[in-house]
Amino acid sequence: MAKQPPHRDPAQDAPHVGPPAHAAAGLPAIGHTLRMAADQMSPGRVLATLRKVNQQGGFDCPGCAWPEPDKPHLAEFCENGAKAVAEEATERRITPEFFAAHPVAELAERSGYWLGQQGRLTTPMLLDEDATHYAPIGWDEAFALIAGELTALGSPDEAAFYTSGRTSNEAAFAYQLFARRLGTNNLPDCSNMCHESSGSALTETLGVGKGSVSLKDLYQADLIIVAGQNPGTNHPRMLSALERAKRAGAKIVSVNPLPEAGLERFKNPQTPRGLVGGGTKLTDLFLQIRLGGDLALFRALNHLLLTTPDAVDEAFVAEHCAGYREFAAEAADLDRPATLAATGLPWEQIEGLHRLVLSSRKIIVCWAMGLTQHKHSVPTIREVVNFLLLRGNVGRPGAGVCPVRGHSNVQGDRTMGIFERPSTAFLDALGKEFAFEPPRAHGHDTVDTIRAMRDGRVKVFFAMGGNFVSASPDTDATEAAMRRCRLTVHVSTKLNRSHVITGARALILPTLGRTDRDVSALGPQFVSVEDSMGMVHSSRGGLRPPAPDLLSEVAIVSRLARAALGPQDPTPWEDFARDYDLIRDRIARVIPGFDDFNAKVRRPGGFALPHAPRDSRTFPTATGKANFTVNPLTAPDVPPGRLLLQTLRSHDQYNTTVYGLDDRYRGITGGRRVVLVNPADAAELGLDDGRFVDLVSEWKDGVERRAAHFRVVHYPVARGGAAAYYPETNVLVPLDSTADISNTPTSKAVVVRLEPIA
Ligand SMILES: Nc1nc2c(c(=O)[nH]1)N[C@H]1C(S)=C(S)[C@@H](COP(=O)(O)OP(=O)(O)OC[C@H]3O[C@@H](n4cnc5c(=O)[nH]c(N)nc54)[C@H](O)[C@@H]3O)O[C@H]1N2
Ligand SMILES: Nc1nc2c(c(=O)[nH]1)N[C@H]1C(S)=C(S)[C@@H](COP(=O)(O)OP(=O)(O)OC[C@H]3O[C@@H](n4cnc5c(=O)[nH]c(N)nc54)[C@H](O)[C@@H]3O)O[C@H]1N2
Ligand SMILES: [Mo]
């Protein structure tokens, strides 16, 4: 088994701890942005690039999926978006000489940070069987090699096609078509580890697995509850929207085990007040909930609403909802001690929120990974839906569900059919358009793909972007599974760990990113993306690509499809690669809401996809109504002497891409191997601040999972919980510890013991 990269290189990882910040952005963010960008690019390129982020006619920020306002600010990007752009637009290059100089075994010992710092990939590279180094390979040879391996499989289901959420709509549509023409629904994606719990809960209850609000709704809301999300770091532009809502009179409640600086106060760098003044206080009520306590909180709120006269919108419930009677019967009782234990909140705070709810006509609940990565995530989000339905807060202005998506096009990829469990309607439409019979059996999601590779049932692993071995749970198990494959292939912009933990043979196929100019034989092409609020718009990169013969993702899929499916396949792959309009014409015919796609996508600002609950209060569920559900109280069970660990993001990373070693708002600099522990818990465990510990995860399979050498930081996290960064801690997340129904790894709930290092 591959050794994990060095546990601690004192020069690289020596965390310093200062006081956490109480406000986000402001002047320091601007300075930080420019320094990071200048590190990767010349000043002219910095300006040329940042000027085009999120502007009409420019490119979609490869950072998060937060929507652009109608009239984008001249600098409609944020510190962290700028880092994402700089990471991609860097002028550093990885050439064949780099691979000749570094054996793969050596690269596997390097940190992910180091790998990412080497620059953009420029040449297709092959690691042949028993070779020690990657060597250059031509594009045609590479496609022939993959086609050969695919053809040799006993069944197309022995291949899996992963997608990370940056892939454009056009590339995603072509990619899923290729997989299905080949004959498999094995289309795992990063969403399986991300908002799958939201999709599952929302599809069952509302009939659409996406958010129901637009930016305009946020500006009109009376109350916005932000639960399990750290927008100051992960969706910084959301703070501008919250600020605007706040100034229009909204109250904001944050529900989080950590006091996150961005939610406390926001210094908008686009306004004079934000640059030199005190900024805007955002949070009116902070509920410092225990990890996994949200189901208990929303159940308690629902109980209070049900027992308050006139609190329920009875007309809405009668006309639009099903399952109310069963739900109300179950929620009539409240186990107050269990609620207090699960939430860790004083009862008065829950009552305080109840009062705020009663005085608010229009309510929005926003959430992200703090709600989706628990064993009971689907019931938790269903209970959030119950809460909103009770007072008719779905399908009218200023109200609704707002799962805040992660990757910039993760929502669009799913809309395009990147899903291991596609609907019958989708497959029927796809089959009709392309005159074939798509496979009907469900495919593997991310966790099942790992199991299948481990068991030898999947032999070819192909990834459209992402960093599968570092993003997936149970790093050692996942790496062992990858190594069992016949062939692993990565279409990537940057080098990462998944390229050096390989199957018997491996390919790296370099590709264009969002910022790069994409010119086909026909001329300049553009792509499209869908944001977290269902707006679709175009994205056009403007930079000279890092190497002359880089292919776009669309071109890679098209040429691979031709090689693997043969000349007899009637799909016009060559035309698709030349002219993305032709792909969009097909999307328009297969996917609802995309009619007239080519015209609508050219409108400034793009267009909104239909959303039945939002648009017409109709609910395409099994009952034809919005469904109340019964969700018994459950909360994580942590044995004495143990803590529940959540794995989260620092301010200087984008998922597995580490930009730097600081987490500015949390006061941590110069290192990432830290574990945040409440001082009272630390005292009970006898752990002084500054002590070094190993994190050891305890799971019922008895396997010891250990992440070595973390500095204990006394930090105001909710009691009983701890926090440390992903991906260093993925080694601790057991493969089989997943959410019920959605099968999402429980990245926010890992039982650990902290073993002091002598
Ligand atoms: N700069 C930057 N931007 C990003 C990303 C990035 O890595 N860097 N990643 C992108 C992606 S793919 C995603 S999915 C999003 C992720 O966005 P977030 O979900 O904000 O990311 P996390 O860092 O995982 O933070 C989880 C938050 O939930 C809280 N939390 C954890 N457990 C619980 C719980 O049980 N209950 C409650 N109420 N809160 C809890 C944590 O304290 C933390 O504040 O961001 C996207 N944007
Ligand atoms: N423990 C723990 N694990 C987690 C999470 C957690 O909170 N805790 N979060 C989960 C979540 S929410 C997510 S979304 C996943 C993320 O999982 P992934 O999406 O698989 O991981 P990323 O780190 O975003 O992928 C980064 C790589 O994508 C490639 N890339 C970047 N841009 C492009 C592009 O335009 N095209 C192509 N082809 N490649 C590109 C680069 O090579 C880069 O190295 O991780 C999950 N894993
Ligand atoms: Mo995500």
Side-chain angles (χ1 to χ4, degrees), residues 262-330:
L263 281 169
E264 285 181 54
R265 186 171 280 280
F266 174 49
K267 297 187 176 180
N268 190 338
Q270 295 166 355
T271 65
R273 178 207 333 270
L275 282 182
V276 292
T280 308
K281 180 175 178 288
L282 290 182
T283 293
D284 296 280
L285 176 63
F286 170 44
L287 301 186
Q288 185 162 30
I289 198 160
R290 280 175 169 243
L291 283 173
D294 305 83
L295 174 55
L297 171 67
F298 280 96
R299 281 192 100 246
L301 273 182
N302 290 341
H303 168 82
L304 290 173
L305 291 175
L306 283 165
T307 49
T308 305
D310 300 326
V312 175
D313 182 342
E314 283 171 8
F316 172 78
V317 170
E319 189 182 343
H320 294 291
C321 303
Y324 177 73
R325 205 186 308 259
E326 295 80 351
F327 158 72
E330 219 263 345

Side-chain angles (χ1 to χ4, degrees), residues 190-191 193-195 369 373 405-407 410 649 655 726:
C190 67
S191 205
M193 301 183 268
C194 185
H195 266 293
M369 297 304 100
Q373 297 176 333
R405 306 296 303 244
H407 267 300
V410 62
R649 292 155 172 80
N655 297 339
Y726 129 77

Side-chain angles (χ1 to χ4, degrees), residues 62 87-88 116 120-121 162-168 189-195 369 372-373 406-407 410 463-474 490-499 509-516 553 556 646-649 653-658 724-731 733 744-748 750:
E87 178 80 15
E88 182 176 298
R120 284 287 297 272
L121 295 159
Y162 176 73
T163 313
S164 167
R166 279 198 194 172
T167 297
S168 67
D189 73 339
C190 67
S191 205
N192 299 143
M193 301 183 268
C194 185
H195 266 293
M369 297 304 100
T372 64
Q373 297 176 333
H407 267 300
V410 62
M464 184 56 76
N467 183 359
F468 193 81
V469 302
S470 294
S472 295
D474 223 343
H490 286 87
V491 179
S492 301
T493 50
K494 303 285 294 275
L495 189 63
N496 67 45
R497 189 160 173 82
S498 298
H499 306 143
L509 305 181
T511 192
L512 301 177
R514 281 284 164 76
T515 51
D516 299 319
E553 292 183 346
I556 289 174
Q646 63 150 320
T647 60
L648 42 50
R649 292 155 172 80
Q653 73 182 88
Y654 193 93
N655 297 339
T656 68
T657 301
V658 174
Y725 303 131
Y726 129 77
E728 288 84 347
T729 46
N730 284 42
V731 65
V733 186
T744 294
T746 59
S747 302
K748 298 291 187 273
V750 185

